[in-house]
């Protein structure tokens, strides 16, 4: 059963994703100034982030939420309606969209800092140091993901058992 109290859900996945994303830009050291600027302005950084593994991270949210529903359903005495599943799927999509917006913001900040660094003539090691400080995996992002998962768990319990008010749960 997915553990609703699991701290830092997706923390390691986002850290790995960020590292893979940053490694893709190591080639910039070998390019001329004009090539760097051209690459930094023409490249879709969000697509690079997706190809670095963002899609797998988003899919992990779906697996976690599906696991929550499956585990809760095992306690349910009556069937689960399609409408209930649609409601919970909507919550899943909204939470996934929230992570994608964070990733888009990260990619945009990354691109902006990269271009500013190139234009001002900064050394690539200094630019890379600042880029690492932007961070996709921030405390705020991890907190938002954990809160969203916990809220989904609470919403799923309420929705799945709304027709069974006599059902009681015991914290363990």
């Amino acid at each position: 059963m997915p553990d609703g109290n699991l701290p830092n859900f997706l923390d390691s996945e986002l850290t790995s994703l960020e590292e893979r994303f940053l490694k893709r830009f190591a080639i910039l050291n070998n390019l001329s100034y004009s090539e760097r600027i051209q690459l930094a302005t023409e490249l879709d950084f969000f697509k690079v982030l997706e190809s670095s593994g963002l899609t797998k991270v988003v899919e992990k949210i779906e697996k976690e939420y599906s696991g929550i529903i499956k585990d809760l359903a095992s306690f349910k005495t009556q069937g689960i309606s399609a409408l209930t599943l649609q409601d919970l799927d909507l919550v899943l999509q909204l939470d996934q969209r929230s992570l994608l917006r964070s990733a888009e913001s990260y990619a945009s900040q990354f691109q902006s800092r990269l271009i500013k660094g190139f234009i001002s003539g900064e050394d690539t090691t200094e630019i890379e140091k600042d880029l690492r400080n932007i961070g996709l995996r921030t405390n705020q992002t991890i907190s938002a993901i954990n809160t969203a998962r916990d809220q989904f768990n609470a919403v799923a319990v309420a929705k799945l058992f709304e027709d069974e008010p006599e059902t009681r749960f015991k914290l363990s």
Side-chain angles (χ1 to χ4, degrees), residues 16-149:
S16 298
L17 170 61
E18 198 173 333
E19 284 301 315
R20 287 188 304 273
F21 179 72
L22 287 168
K23 283 181 183 177
R24 292 192 170 203
F25 295 98
I27 62 159
L28 294 173
N29 294 330
N30 303 327
L31 301 176
S32 69
Y33 172 79
S34 60
E35 290 171 327
R36 287 179 190 174
I37 293 291
Q38 182 179 2
L39 183 66
T41 55
E42 292 178 0
L43 197 60
D44 184 337
F45 285 73
F46 183 72
K47 286 193 188 291
V48 174
L49 196 55
E50 285 181 314
S51 66
S52 296
L54 177 62
T55 305
K56 289 181 182 177
V57 173
V58 172
E59 287 171 356
K60 186 159 183 181
I61 295 173
E62 184 172 357
K63 287 178 187 173
E64 178 75 6
Y65 283 24
S66 294
I68 289 170
I69 293 170
K70 181 180 176 187
D71 288 343
L72 289 172
S74 69
F75 296 108
K76 187 157 172 56
T77 57
Q78 300 171 3
I80 300 173
S81 73
L83 184 59
T84 297
L85 292 176
Q86 287 175 342
D87 292 342
L88 295 174
D89 188 54
L90 176 62
V91 175
L92 164 66
Q93 289 174 26
L94 292 171
D95 287 350
Q96 287 175 319
R97 203 173 309 155
S98 179
L99 176 59
L100 290 172
R101 278 194 302 272
S102 293
E104 284 177 304
S105 177
Y106 169 73
S108 178
Q109 291 174 15
F110 188 95
Q111 183 177 25
S112 175
R113 176 60 184 101
L114 192 63
I115 292 170
K116 288 174 187 173
F118 290 157
I119 290 172
S120 66
E122 288 182 69
D123 183 59
T124 53
T125 56
E126 190 64 32
I127 295 170
E128 183 179 335
K129 181 181 170 187
D130 271 0
L131 291 173
R132 288 185 178 279
N133 290 333
I134 292 172
L136 172 61
R137 190 213 58 75
T138 64
N139 290 338
Q140 180 181 357
T141 303
I142 294 300
S143 177
I145 289 169
N146 282 299
T147 300
R149 185 201 52 218

